Amino acid sequence: MDTGRELIEALNLVAQERGIDKELIFEAIEASLVSACKRQYGQNAEIRVTVNRETGVYTVMSKKAIVETVEDPEIQISLEDARKIHSNAEIDDEIELVVTPKNFGRISAQTAKQVVTQKFREAEREILYNEFISKENEMVTAVVQRMDKRNVIVSLGRLEATLPAGEQIPRERYNFSDRIKVYISDVRQSSKGPIVNISRAHPELLRHLFEQEVPEIYDGTVEIKAIAREPGSRSKVAVYTEQPNVDPIGACVGQSGHRVNLISGELRGERLDIVQWSEDPSKFIAAALSPSKVIQVALSPYENSAKVIVPDTQLSLAIGKEGQNARLAAKLTGWSIDIKSESQIEGTDFLVFPVVERPAEEVYEEYYEEEYYDEYDDSEEYYEEEEYYDDGEYYDDEYYDEYYEEAPAQAAATEEAAT
């Protein structure tokens, strides 16, 4: 079988198995062969290489200008030589010559092999990138391969990824072939292929674990409104539902805690507090401080801060070990929280917030918010010139002309009457 036919069959096979466009490969081969030919015919030579798409036969053409005296053989040809090819050739015309070298079969075969290999690698990288970019912000299963200092190298199927120390669950141990859940936080393309950034510490990993284990969350009956997480130690999850007959907390916990225990086990025993979300900040903050009981919550919306009173026996529980419970509650709700016990606030004005003088521009912005203007903007007729300006006559040029003519006389009459 000749080389050309072998090339066509190879390209057909690659195109079918890897989804590479044959035309792109042909064009890349032709461009590479032009570069190879210029090394032989000179860098100034105008070379064109074509590959027959059916037979794989190569043809090398060189374009030259027809001149009386040849000064640069790379780009010029004499009229005499040109008329040996085309009898009607004239000075200043251009002519294309077939200049395919005798040993071009070996050169072309080498070039084709290099180009096909390069295109194959590019296609592989593109396919892998498209596969993982579709999984960005999703949870996948990874298999631990090896340790690289403090980093963990895992297999994601056709690609390896690195789980950095900062994205691991603290004190979690990884063994070869362990299957772990990871969150794909980012996918980027590089010259060596796609780079997939993964995490075990990301709050969104917890959201996806709940979607996997709790059907009510997966189908949208129960919604996760907020997550606050300290990986490997404790997390708080705020849930909500509009269905009056559904208990969002009970759905997440499951019978005898089965669902929440599965999630906690995947996170190596991370403690999970599931609380009821409310659009009322006071209720939400009180729920976020569970398991502590809350007596009263006072809010300062402008400062986005809250003051909370708890029973004396509940103060340490509300604050938590090293302040963890209060810290997670603040992160979950987005409010700054100050907690005191009943005995601590006796005889104090703890619940009174200091008066803060707000900058005038902020007050104006709040007062003249978009809704204020919408009442008028919705009525285009109100601002139409003819209606707003007394049918267009009140402020027209004739009015002003008449006014300025009569005004002096009117002013004089008024002054005379006054005297």
Side-chain angles (χ1 to χ4, degrees), residues 74-197:
E74 290 182 6
I75 58 174
Q76 295 175 338
I77 186 174
S78 68
L79 178 60
E80 182 182 352
D81 290 339
R83 283 184 171 172
K84 292 177 182 178
I85 303 168
H86 293 294
S87 58
N88 57 347
E90 297 293 340
I91 297 294
D92 294 334
D93 286 350
E94 288 185 333
I95 187 171
E96 270 197 327
L97 314 174
V98 178
V99 293
T100 308
K102 292 181 180 179
N103 63 339
F104 197 66
R106 178 180 60 81
I107 298 173
S108 61
Q110 264 184 337
T111 303
K113 182 178 179 181
Q114 292 171 356
V115 169
V116 171
T117 302
Q118 180 185 354
K119 287 295 179 182
F120 175 77
R121 289 173 181 167
E122 290 176 359
E124 282 287 287
R125 288 196 293 266
E126 189 66 24
I127 290 169
L128 276 176
Y129 175 76
N130 291 335
E131 177 183 337
F132 282 96
I133 194 66
S134 66
K135 297 177 181 178
E136 192 176 44
N137 302 324
E138 297 291 337
M139 180 181 72
V140 298
T141 300
V143 180
V144 176
Q145 298 297 299
R146 62 188 182 278
M147 298 294 297
D148 181 12
K149 296 181 180 179
R150 296 181 61 199
N151 299 330
V152 182
I153 310 302
V154 301
S155 170
L156 300 177
R158 299 171 59 194
L159 186 72
E160 283 192 345
T162 300
L163 181 62
E167 297 297 334
Q168 298 171 19
I169 294 177
R171 298 176 296 281
E172 184 176 27
R173 301 180 67 86
Y174 302 93
N175 302 307
F176 174 72
S177 77
D178 281 352
R179 299 176 68 84
I180 58 175
K181 299 293 185 182
V182 297
Y183 176 74
I184 297 180
S185 57
D186 180 53
V187 180
R188 292 180 288 110
Q189 186 66 286
S190 75
S191 59
K192 296 183 179 180
I195 298 174
V196 180
N197 294 323

